[in-house]
């Protein structure tokens, strides 16, 4: 009887030990699974963060591309009238806008300065307010469409006043570009504002250089076709940029 009781106690002790070992093993397994789950979650979070960072970088590069292309078109259309006038005795109505529309250096001076500068000056204030309240890429693209259309319409002008009015509209539309672009650069490139601003500023020289091509086009196709070609080129660029 005593031996039987001792055996039962021994079996009970073994069961307790085995149960304790199983509980310990279960706790260790649960802890390892928890650690693996946390590691997996961390990896997924890092992966999502990397993907988000990559998308953000791509978006910023697209933004920079848009504003630089628009600024080049802006400057090309702005400088274009300087290359399609000729006040020498050899100028003719086919290649010289001033000969065709019968205006002299005085009126050309108004066209080249105040006719553009005053609307541009006044529009810059409104452009800044507009850029603060609406989508800046969208208003820049719409402005590009407006100045492109005005450039095309200038090709069909029948007198000086038509040209002056359209030139003023070009200045007004182009005044929106700078406030929108500068604010976009500051927002999207806070760590490299100066570098990106210098890239944007290169549009002045690329646009001016592109406008100088008008001399060769004008000599072969005339001033009206030259204006149409530049206006259509600018118009085709603007809508294909992301709205």
């Amino acid at each position: 009887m005593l031996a039987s009781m001792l055996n039962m106690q021994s079996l009970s002790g073994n069961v307790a030990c085995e149960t304790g070992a199983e509980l310990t093993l279960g706790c260790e397994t649960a802890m390892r699974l928890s650690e693996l789950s946390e590691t997996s979650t961390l990896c997924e979070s890092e992966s999502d963060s990397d993907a988000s960072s990559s998308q953000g970088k791509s978006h910023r590069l697209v933004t920079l591309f848009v504003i630089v292309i628009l600024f080049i078109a802006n400057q090309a259309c702005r400088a274009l009238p300087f290359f399609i006038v000729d006040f020498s005795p050899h100028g003719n109505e086919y290649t010289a806008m001033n000969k065709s529309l019968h205006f002299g250096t005085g009126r050309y001076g108004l066209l080249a300065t105040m006719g553009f500068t005053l609307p541009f000056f006044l529009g810059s204030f409104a452009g800044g307010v507009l850029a603060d309240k609406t989508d800046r890429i969208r208003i820049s693209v719409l402005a590009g469409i407006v100045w492109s259309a005005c450039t095309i319409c200038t090709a069909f002008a029948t007198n000086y006043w038509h040209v002056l009015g359209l030139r003023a509209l070009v200045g007004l539309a182009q005044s929106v570009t700078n406030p929108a672009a500068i604010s976009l650069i500051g927002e999207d490139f806070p760590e490299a504002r100066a570098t990106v601003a210098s890239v944007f500023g290169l549009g002045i020289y690329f646009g001016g250089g592109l406008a100088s091509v008008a001399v060769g086009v004008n000599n072969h196709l005339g001033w009206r076709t030259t204006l149409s070609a530049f206006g259509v080129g600018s118009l085709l660029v603007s809508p294909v940029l992301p709205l």
Side-chain angles (χ1 to χ4, degrees), residues 96-149:
M97 178 172 64
N98 58 297
K99 298 290 185 180
S100 177
L101 301 181
H102 310 291
F103 62 87
T105 55
R107 286 187 173 182
Y108 173 72
L110 177 62
L111 178 69
T113 55
M114 295 301 293
F116 177 90
T117 305
L118 184 59
F120 187 89
F121 171 77
L122 296 174
S124 293
F125 293 100
V129 174
L130 194 62
D132 285 333
K133 295 184 177 181
T134 58
D135 187 292
R136 286 157 292 185
I137 290 291
R138 187 179 295 276
I139 63 172
S140 296
V141 170
L142 291 176
I145 292 172
V146 171
W147 82 59
S148 300

Side-chain angles (χ1 to χ4, degrees), residues 53-71:
S53 176
S54 178
Q55 289 176 354
K57 185 176 181 180
S58 298
H59 172 73
R60 295 194 304 166
L61 291 175
V62 169
T63 298
L64 179 60
F65 174 77
V66 169
I67 61 177
V68 169
I69 292 297
L70 279 173
F71 198 50

Side-chain angles (χ1 to χ4, degrees), residues 211-222:
S212 67
V213 175
V215 175
V217 178
N218 187 36
N219 288 335
H220 290 88
L221 302 177

